[in-house]
Amino acid sequence: MLLHCSVSALCSVSQSLAKSSSSLSSPSQSSLLKFHTSHRENLRYLTSLGIVKPEVKSHRNPSPESLQQVLSTVNSLKSRGFSEPDIARIALVCTRIFSLEFSPPDIQPVFEFLNDDLAASGEESRDLVMRCPYLLESNVEFCLKPTLAYLRELGLDKLNLPTTLNAHLLNTRLKKLQEILWFLQDAGLSRHESAKICCRFPAIFGYGIESNLKPKFSYLVRDMKRDVRELLEFPQYFAFSLRKRIIPRHLYLKQKNVKISLKRMLLWSDERFYTKWMKVQ
């Protein structure tokens, strides 16, 4: 009888311990399963945005900590009105802001600059970034602020308007802006005249000096024998192809012994231009 009671008590204790062990291990297994599911979902979500590349092998996927950092950047952009398609486009161009070397707070100064210094609205700021995502990687104090101050000094305004030109101008380094102005001054224009050309045709800041401006300027004064100040009236001269537009039309007019303004020479379509001067002997 005593033996039977001891065995029963032992069985009862064993069952109790088994239940206790089961209740302790169950939440752990459940949490682990939930963690793995969440990690896979995050990977799938970031892959859909193009941030995580689908061709990356599973053992080389970002760690959970890395994913959380990237998700924080994504959520930061979404809180500013960027849609998921917007973020996917940004990721295609600026992979760095979704890397481990970039933290979500790093983009905060850029939006403060756009809002406070540029006086752009939230929508304008978003559109400017979409037109030049590299703005998000720019240093505010050393790059964006000096560039904005210089552009305003030259007389450019309405830089908050979300155009592609404005977005890329804001992301142009100060040295590049200065070099363009110095080139125009070396060409014989005053600083005021150079600034006027830049204001009338700010796209000039995107052109290379050696590859674009120098050859066209040289042809203007040496071969066409025109006054450099004609550029004040028509700075868009630099936008036209030297080989396909400027040289052929100049030679055609020279053959006809006709002299017209740069604007009339270059703006007209081929049909209108050649029809106009075809009958001239």
Side-chain angles (χ1 to χ4, degrees), residues 215 217-226 250-251 254:
F217 173 77
S218 177
Y219 193 80
L220 178 79
V221 297
R222 186 193 63 208
D223 297 89
M224 298 170 68
K225 298 188 175 12
R226 289 179 180 262
H250 164 67
L251 293 178
K254 185 178 180 181

Side-chain angles (χ1 to χ4, degrees), residues 213-236:
L213 303 183
K214 269 189 179 180
K216 291 176 182 177
F217 173 77
S218 177
Y219 193 80
L220 178 79
V221 297
R222 186 193 63 208
D223 297 89
M224 298 170 68
K225 298 188 175 12
R226 289 179 180 262
D227 191 315
V228 66
R229 280 169 180 75
E230 286 194 56
L231 294 172
L232 292 169
E233 299 300 321
F234 191 64
Q236 293 84 355

Side-chain angles (χ1 to χ4, degrees), residues 52-63:
V52 175
K53 304 304 176 187
E55 64 270 14
V56 174
K57 295 181 180 179
S58 59
H59 70 276
R60 298 185 64 185
N61 278 329
S63 67

Side-chain angles (χ1 to χ4, degrees), residues 2 38 55 59 61 91 102 116 137 149 165 167 187 202 218 262 266 276:
L2 181 61
S38 175
E55 64 270 14
H59 70 276
N61 278 329
F102 201 92
D116 300 338
E137 297 181 357
L165 177 59
S218 177
L262 286 174
L266 296 172
K276 171 71 176 178

